[in-house]
Amino acid sequence: MALGRNDDDSSTRVLGGRWELLSPLARGGMGTLYVGRHLQTGRRAAIKVIEYGSAEALARFRLEASVCAQIAHPGIVDVFDADLDDATARCFIAMELLEGRTLREVMDDPASTPQDVIELLMAGLAPLSAAHTKGFVHRDLDRKSTRLNSSHI
């Protein structure tokens, strides 16, 4: 997966002067998710990047960054940083990088029973409820964008 326009230009790999994009993880409805690293602290993060070509995209980005940072729930990733990078015309949200399998991987695993999958789906309702309480509706929730690990669903 390419990093985007001008891949060979190292300036496209650093956002906000502080987050280096290391490798792509996935593409979604609003943008691309990368593994990144904070240049000062070395902290690794998942960095969601969108190009803000329209006022609507910029408004959705600002809402997502604000709401995600306000939701305190163990099933929702922590947001570390969010900003607009005018040099690359992109917005980014740096958040907790989760390890573990996606819901799709669990569902496709022959060892998983239907009851296992139902329990995981039920556990995923609490984080969604917390988000909805804050007025946020996830626009790209699916088996690939839901990651499971020991502390989150």
Side-chain angles (χ1 to χ4, degrees):
M1 197 181 303
L3 283 175
R5 306 176 312 224
N6 307 321
D7 289 349
D8 31 357
D9 177 2
S10 63
S11 67
T12 64
R13 294 181 181 268
V14 175
L15 295 174
R18 58 193 175 276
W19 290 99
E20 178 184 18
L21 300 179
L22 300 176
S23 61
L25 284 173
R27 289 192 195 276
M30 279 187 64
T32 303
L33 188 66
Y34 296 90
V35 174
R37 181 182 65 86
H38 192 272
L39 294 174
Q40 291 295 317
T41 66
R43 180 181 213 168
R44 290 171 53 90
I47 302 176
K48 183 176 186 176
V49 179
I50 65 166
E51 294 190 21
Y52 60 94
S54 71
E56 179 186 350
L58 185 56
R60 281 197 330 218
F61 160 78
R62 287 185 169 142
L63 176 65
E64 180 178 357
S66 172
V67 170
C68 288
Q70 294 175 35
I71 302 171
H73 190 282
I76 297 178
V77 295
D78 292 328
V79 173
F80 305 142
D81 191 8
D83 205 352
L84 310 176
D85 187 276
D86 290 325
T88 61
R90 295 186 287 181
C91 309
F92 65 92
I93 301 173
M95 59 194 118
E96 181 180 6
L97 178 63
L98 297 178
E99 303 296 332
R101 299 188 307 165
T102 64
L103 181 57
R104 179 182 186 159
E105 292 167 335
V106 172
M107 292 175 75
D108 291 344
D109 183 347
S112 295
T113 67
Q115 186 62 35
D116 294 335
V117 174
I118 290 169
E119 288 175 12
L120 292 172
L121 291 172
M122 294 301 290
L125 294 177
L128 282 176
S129 177
H132 290 174
T133 298
K134 294 286 187 175
F136 183 74
V137 176
H138 196 300
R139 294 176 181 261
D140 190 29
L141 185 65
D142 63 21
R143 298 181 318 155
K144 295 180 289 185
S145 66
T146 304
R147 187 161 294 275
L148 313 164
N149 73 11
S150 61
S151 61
H152 291 79
I153 179 167

